[in-house]
């Protein structure tokens, strides 16, 4: 069974002046243990679709299923707390918290004791390939690649198996981008995450197990390996 499934999902932004169908009748599945790349031009609906997969909003038509449970019937706050987490292009770390605190803090908010949260945070920081010397650094003192790895460690603290990323390498140079992509691949292949990455970066699409291409809100392919063209 797929961990996530979109069935004829559409999403319409409505304002006083206009109506935009940002996602249009999208059906696809996501399995654990795989890296998915969602590619497409700017404005094609990628971020909107990711927000729906993240449970930030419900589709205006169609349904997203977590395993076989319709998202519309789930407690989506709980889904975001326990199952799916999102990593962004701009890292979004808390600027006044150290690396260790950034990773531990959301766990404490979830009711884990401060001591246990710190221990778990240390494990996660090591899992993303960072060393102890990072523990007490503030985001400003870290490189972009380090910040993104701390952000990924924080996302893993959620504990679920769905990791969503919106242009995770968009602010990184090639070397740091590669480290992050390799890490995301390991999380899928060795740790069984379903990793779903929105990207313009063809080197990510090249290395994904499945590529979905979006155009004008629609999926123009139903998955498969990257074939060298984004249309
Ligand atoms: N908050 C919003 N209100 C109205 N329209 C929006 C909003 N966010 C995105 N859109 C529109 O939805 C479409 C898809 O946007 P988006 O999902 O951000 O695409 P992408 O991530 O592929 O660049 C675009 O036409 C965009 O202008
Ligand atoms: Mg976007």
């Amino acid at each position: 069974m797929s961990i996530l499934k979109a069935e004829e999902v559409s999403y319409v932004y409505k304002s006083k002046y206009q109506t935009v169908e940002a996602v249009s009748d999208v059906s696809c599945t996501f399995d654990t243990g795989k890296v998915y790349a969602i590619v497409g031009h700017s404005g094609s609906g990628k971020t909107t679709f990711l927000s729906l997969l993240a449970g930030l909003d419900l589709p205006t038509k169609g349904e997203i299923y977590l395993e076989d449970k319709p998202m519309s019937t789930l407690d989506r706050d709980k889904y975001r707390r326990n199952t799916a987490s999102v990593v962004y292009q701009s890292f979004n770390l808390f600027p006044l918290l150290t690396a260790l605190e950034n990773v531990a803090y959301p766990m404490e908010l979830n009711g884990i004791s401060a001591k246990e949260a710190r221990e778990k945070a240390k494990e996660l920081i090591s899992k993303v390939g960072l060393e102890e010397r990072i523990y007490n650094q503030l985001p400003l003192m870290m490189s972009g690649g380090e910040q993104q790895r701390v952000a990924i460690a924080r996302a893993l603290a959620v504990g679920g198996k769905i990791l969503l990323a919106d242009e995770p390498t968009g602010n990184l140079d090639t070397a740091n981008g590669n480290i992050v992509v390799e890490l995301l691949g390991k999380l899928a292949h060795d740790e069984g995450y379903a990793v779903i990455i929105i990207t313009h970066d063809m080197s990510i699409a090249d290395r994904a197990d499945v590529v979905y291409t979006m155009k004008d809100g629609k999926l123009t392919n139903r998955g498969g390996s990257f074939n060298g063209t984004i249309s």
Side-chain angles (χ1 to χ4, degrees):
M1 190 198 314
S2 297
I3 190 161
L4 273 182
K5 181 170 74 173
E7 217 170 74
E8 295 174 5
V9 164
S10 299
Y11 189 87
V12 175
Y13 291 104
K14 265 200 186 109
S15 75
K16 221 158 67 179
Y17 306 104
Q18 58 174 353
T19 301
V20 178
E21 190 170 57
V23 174
S24 184
D25 216 12
V26 167
S27 299
C28 58
T29 57
F30 300 95
D31 296 339
T32 53
K34 285 189 182 168
V35 176
Y36 294 81
I38 301 179
V39 301
H41 294 298
S42 179
S44 58
K46 305 183 298 296
T47 294
T48 304
F49 185 48
L50 201 81
S51 314
L52 300 175
L53 296 175
L56 292 165
D57 208 345
L58 286 175
T60 45
K61 195 184 115 315
E63 184 67 78
I64 289 172
Y65 295 87
L66 170 67
E67 291 167 339
D68 54 353
K69 295 175 286 296
M71 191 81 84
S72 59
T73 67
L74 295 178
D75 176 340
R76 281 183 292 126
D77 287 332
K78 210 164 143 195
Y79 171 72
R80 294 205 308 277
R81 264 200 318 274
N82 301 331
T83 309
S85 54
V86 191
V87 172
Y88 296 95
Q89 175 171 3
S90 50
F91 323 133
N92 291 6
L93 295 177
F94 304 111
L96 300 178
L97 298 186
T98 64
L100 195 61
E101 290 165 345
N102 260 286
V103 180
Y105 183 60
M107 290 189 269
E108 287 183 49
L109 287 184
N110 270 347
I112 295 174
S113 76
K115 185 164 176 283
E116 200 183 323
R118 281 177 72 86
E119 286 315 306
K120 183 87 200 268
K122 287 179 183 177
E123 265 173 46
L124 292 171
I125 285 174
S126 140
K127 181 173 283 187
V128 299
L130 293 170
E131 292 170 9
E132 283 181 25
R133 62 170 182 79
I134 203 96
Y135 289 171
N136 295 316
Q137 289 188 19
L138 295 172
L140 263 181
M141 299 157 68
M142 304 174 205
S143 72
E146 288 169 340
Q147 288 186 60
Q148 191 59 298
R149 283 189 278 168
V150 171
I152 292 169
R154 184 176 63 180
L156 299 182
V158 162
K161 284 292 179 203
I162 300 171
L163 187 58
L164 306 160
D166 195 345
E167 300 281 1
T169 61
N171 279 331
L172 302 179
D173 57 41
T174 308
N176 275 302
N178 280 335
I179 291 172
V180 165
V181 173
E182 240 164 65
L183 170 62
L184 292 172
K186 261 203 222 150
L187 291 170
H189 301 140
D190 301 348
E191 310 259 342
Y193 282 83
V195 175
I196 304 170
I197 310 173
I198 288 181
T199 187
H200 276 100
D201 182 342
M202 282 306 105
S203 72
I204 295 189
D206 270 336
R207 287 146 83 177
D209 299 302
V210 181
V211 179
Y212 291 130
T213 307
M214 286 190 81
K215 188 178 182 192
D216 300 333
K218 293 187 162 53
L219 272 198
T220 58
N221 69 341
R222 302 280 301 239
S225 303
F226 183 54
N227 66 6
T229 52
I230 340 177
S231 52

